Amino acid sequence: MQFDPTLLETYHTLLQTTDLQKAYQEWLRMFRYLRGALEQQLPRYRFQGSVNENGMDYAYFSFADSLLKKNGLKLVAVFVPERFQLEVWLSGVNRVAQCRWASRLGSCPPPMECSSDPARTDYLVRLPVEADLADGEAVVQAMKHAVEQLLALLSLQ
């Protein structure tokens, strides 16, 4: 198996000439804090055990209460490194549930974005979260607000 030597050298250079490793560790500390704080402040929800990192495409953790779970839905806190953006996603527990809900949801107000193909995406609706990532409590409150906005789309409450 062959690997791209230019990309490997770029990574090596970044590690030697920047604080990439420390910056990543700090970001991960913030995202883990977010998960723990949301778990404490949203006690009716069950949270996935850990933060999942997906090859720097995005990192996430999911959570759901009994009503969401019963309806085949979950919420997902997501960080998209490419855009350096936090988001909250409303997702199906699987693609079948997600497609079933997509046909029921209809449109969503901006800045929410409905999936154009719920059979191929990991979300039904995604909502960007605006907050200063250095201010942990502000991030937690902004995420909670985004959760409330997404839940308002559903007629489950």
Side-chain angles (χ1 to χ4, degrees):
M1 176 171 269
Q2 293 294 311
F3 300 96
D4 186 326
T6 304
L7 290 175
L8 291 172
E9 185 54 37
T10 299
Y11 184 60
H12 181 229
T13 300
L14 286 169
L15 287 171
Q16 288 187 328
T17 61
T18 70
D19 284 334
L20 179 64
Q21 185 176 15
K22 288 180 182 176
Y24 180 77
Q25 290 168 345
E26 186 67 5
W27 167 82
L28 189 55
R29 190 169 78 91
M30 181 279 302
F31 203 60
R32 286 179 176 152
Y33 164 82
L34 174 62
R35 186 208 165 280
L38 284 173
E39 185 172 29
Q40 286 181 341
Q41 293 185 28
L42 299 171
R44 81 175 207 221
Y45 292 88
R46 295 200 46 121
F47 280 71
Q48 170 186 335
S50 63
V51 169
N52 289 304
E53 304 164 70
N54 192 4
M56 290 191 80
D57 288 333
Y58 59 88
Y60 68 94
F61 57 88
S62 62
F63 53 104
D65 63 7
S66 59
L67 196 52
L68 286 171
K69 190 173 181 178
K70 177 180 156 190
N71 283 280
L73 295 169
K74 62 184 175 182
L75 294 163
V76 186
V78 179
F79 180 77
V80 184
E82 181 180 58
R83 296 189 308 272
F84 208 75
Q85 178 68 58
L86 278 172
E87 299 178 350
V88 177
W89 294 356
L90 177 63
S91 299
V93 294
N94 57 41
R95 299 295 165 98
V96 173
Q98 191 156 287
C99 290
R100 184 176 61 244
W101 272 97
S103 66
R104 294 171 63 180
L105 281 180
S107 64
C108 53
M112 292 181 193
E113 179 187 325
C114 290
S115 171
S116 60
D117 189 356
R120 297 187 192 277
T121 59
D122 293 327
Y123 64 91
L124 284 163
V125 180
R126 65 185 189 184
L127 177 58
V129 175
E130 300 300 328
D132 176 1
L133 296 185
D135 184 346
E137 190 53 37
V139 172
V140 170
Q141 293 309 312
M143 293 292 282
K144 286 171 59 178
H145 181 67
V147 165
E148 292 167 2
Q149 289 179 283
L150 286 172
L151 292 177
L153 288 176
L154 304 171
S155 58
L156 296 177
Q157 295 183 334

